[in-house]
Amino acid sequence: MPVYQYRGYKTDGGTAIGIIDAESPKVARLKLRKDGVFPTEMAEQGSSGDFGAASHAGTATPSAGGRSSALTTNDVAMMTRQLATLLVAGLPLVDALGVLLDQTDRKAVKSILADIREEIRGGKSYSVALERYPREFSQIYVHMVRAGEASGALDQILFRLAEFLEKQLALKHKVTNAILYPALMLLVGVVVLFFLMTFVVPKITAVFANLKQALPWPTVVLMTLSRWCADYWPALVGGALLLVWAIRRSLRTETGRTTADRLILKLPLIGEVARMVSISRLSSTLATMLASGVQLLEAMDVSRRVMNNRILEQAVEEARQNIREGETIAEPLKRSGEFPSLVTHMIAVGERSGEMEEMLRRIGQIYDGEVDRVITRFTSLLEPVMILVMGVLVFFIVVAILLPIFEMGQMVR
């Protein structure tokens, strides 16, 4: 366990200097304050930093906006499942967090777990302690933990949370892997073609420029394109970078993001996959939260934010407002026109039968399967199509270069 040197003052105004062992500077400060010491400077023993730098680092706000997340989704899912297992085994929450703290070697994770444990020791609930780290623990996570604390079934809620996070992570990896391969192929293809047209083809076709004969039209087209690329490639690269910058800047605004989300939903195949992924996320999240005891309106408000599409989020928010006024769930979703009839029909059946959570869970399973099927079909077709396109382009370049050579050979004969 790290050892920290500290300097501060006591409650009677006297100076306090010494050392203390703790999991993190935050925990060290809490221990000192319980002993009536208010530290003004602190540094880890053996570190190269001075008192002022370490003290400043120790008092940084954990949830500062510029800080990157110390825990990945996989880390949170694993920690949640381990914590649930320890709670089922009969360990108190503070002791279970201590076990997790001893098992991890990452300093950032240790600091977070130690801080959460000290908050709980100080009388705060687990959900309140988690709210200090919004980047690591989402609103869905905090709401479900709060519901588990209220119902006395925190261990079961944590098991549901772990399963939910693992499913969401698997879906994210599935979509990411499906996009990554064709995007990489497209990037490599564009770079290779750009290099050929800008630096290789002009040197080869320069031989044909002095010929006093009409060149075949493929050669003329190739020479024109290669000359244009060679002369204006800085403008092309600059324009592409400027376009990327403009798109990224636009996506940071609400209007730009909404426009992009609407366009994505209208694209063939891509829009279909995006809609299915959003519906799967919504239904799975809503089912998990309702089964955990979270109220419907609160669950819908939190669940809609995982859809990652402004258009669908607005449709759910409008439905939520209509539900507040006494309507059912299925009817306003159907009126929005953004949800397939299968979804609204199954939700309506769930409302009438009182098995809403089960119906939502089935919707999530159905659309998970649909996403898997569409992505598999998409990737299996895209690879040969891209190879064919690249083959046609390379064939055109080869033919355009060889045709004048063949004609020159016939003239010599």
Side-chain angles (χ1 to χ4, degrees):
M1 186 176 294
V3 176
Y4 297 91
Q5 295 176 317
Y6 68 87
R7 180 184 295 120
Y9 61 92
K10 301 177 182 178
T11 53
D12 58 3
T15 301
I17 301 176
I19 59 174
I20 187 172
D21 60 332
E23 291 89 346
S24 67
K26 178 77 174 179
V27 176
R29 289 176 181 278
L30 291 174
K31 286 184 176 181
L32 288 172
R33 287 177 183 176
K34 289 179 181 179
D35 295 337
V37 177
F38 296 86
T40 57
E41 299 176 356
M42 182 176 295
E44 185 175 352
Q45 205 170 37
S47 65
S48 58
D50 59 9
F51 265 144
S55 176
H56 181 74
T59 57
T61 303
S63 57
R67 179 185 61 83
S68 60
S69 175
L71 299 177
T72 64
T73 304
N74 190 45
D75 292 333
V76 176
M78 186 179 301
M79 185 189 76
T80 303
R81 186 169 291 280
Q82 291 173 345
L83 185 60
T85 304
L86 293 172
L87 293 178
V88 169
L91 269 71
L93 179 59
V94 173
D95 294 342
L97 288 171
V99 173
L100 295 182
L101 187 62
D102 293 336
Q103 287 180 347
T104 183
D105 296 326
R106 294 171 54 188
K107 289 186 177 180
V109 179
K110 273 183 174 292
S111 177
I112 292 174
L113 290 175
D115 185 32
I116 291 174
R117 188 176 66 169
E118 289 301 319
E119 291 290 327
I120 295 173
R121 280 177 174 173
K124 293 184 179 179
S125 66
Y126 186 38
S127 58
V128 172
L130 293 177
E131 286 179 333
R132 292 171 52 82
Y133 298 92
R135 291 184 180 272
E136 284 78 16
F137 304 98
S138 63
Q139 286 190 348
I140 297 171
Y141 196 102
V142 174
H143 278 73
M144 289 181 63
V145 168
R146 185 176 294 120
E149 290 172 331
S151 63
L154 181 59
D155 52 354
Q156 298 303 318
I157 297 299
L158 289 175
F159 273 124
R160 288 177 183 170
L161 262 174
E163 183 180 358
F164 167 75
L165 291 172
E166 289 163 358
K167 287 182 178 179
Q168 293 295 311
L169 192 62
L171 180 61
K172 180 181 178 180
H173 286 167
K174 191 182 301 179
V175 175
T176 302
N177 292 337
I179 296 174
L180 186 62
Y181 178 68
L184 183 61
M185 284 188 63
L186 180 62
L187 178 63
V188 171
V190 169
V191 171
V192 170
L193 285 175
F194 184 78
F195 178 77
L196 288 175
M197 296 295 290
T198 306
F199 300 103
V200 178
V201 172
K203 294 181 180 179
I204 298 176
T205 56
V207 179
F208 307 141
N210 298 324
L211 293 179
K212 298 179 180 180
Q213 65 179 34
L215 296 173
W217 70 265
T219 307
V220 175
V221 172
L222 181 65
M223 292 176 65
T224 303
L225 290 175
S226 64
R227 189 182 305 115
W228 194 78
C229 290
D231 293 340
Y232 299 104
W233 71 265
L236 291 173
V237 174
L241 294 176
L242 183 62
L243 179 63
V244 171
W245 175 83
I247 292 174
R248 288 173 60 88
R249 184 179 179 85
S250 176
L251 290 177
R252 292 176 183 173
T253 65
E254 189 66 25
T255 303
R257 181 65 185 273
T258 302
T259 302
D261 288 342
R262 183 179 291 108
L263 177 63
I264 287 174
L265 291 177
K266 293 181 179 180
L267 292 175
L269 190 60
I270 296 177
E272 179 186 359
V273 173
R275 190 182 301 274
M276 288 191 296
V277 169
S278 296
I279 292 175
S280 173
R281 286 176 174 174
L282 174 69
S283 55
S284 299
T285 305
L286 194 56
T288 304
M289 295 191 73
L290 291 177
S292 302
V294 181
Q295 296 297 319
L296 175 61
L297 293 177
E298 185 179 7
M300 289 187 68
D301 182 43
V302 177
S303 299
R304 69 183 177 86
R305 302 177 190 182
V306 305
M307 301 181 75
N308 201 28
N309 187 285
R310 295 291 193 276
I311 304 303
L312 298 178
E313 288 178 22
Q314 290 172 4
V316 174
E317 177 59 24
E318 291 173 4
R320 180 172 169 268
Q321 297 301 329
N322 291 329
I323 293 168
R324 189 189 299 273
E325 296 172 2
E327 282 197 61
T328 61
I329 304 175
E331 191 58 34
L333 290 179
K334 183 178 181 180
R335 285 200 307 268
S336 70
E338 299 293 344
F339 292 85
S341 58
L342 173 64
V343 175
T344 56
H345 177 71
M346 291 185 68
I347 290 177
V349 171
E351 288 178 310
R352 289 195 296 267
S353 63
E355 297 181 355
M356 176 63 72
E357 296 90 346
E358 181 60 27
M359 283 299 176
L360 288 170
R361 191 173 292 108
R362 289 182 184 179
I363 292 172
Q365 292 173 350
I366 290 172
Y367 278 92
D368 280 346
E370 283 294 306
V371 169
D372 192 21
R373 181 184 62 81
V374 172
I375 286 178
T376 301
R377 184 183 64 184
F378 173 72
T379 52
S380 62
L381 291 176
L382 187 61
E383 182 177 356
V385 168
M386 294 187 70
I387 293 175
L388 178 62
V389 171
M390 291 296 296
V392 169
L393 292 175
V394 173
F395 177 76
F396 174 79
I397 294 174
V398 172
V399 169
I401 293 173
L402 292 180
L403 278 178
I405 296 176
F406 289 155
E407 291 184 358
M408 290 172 61
Q410 291 178 355
M411 290 177 62
V412 170
R413 292 178 183 178

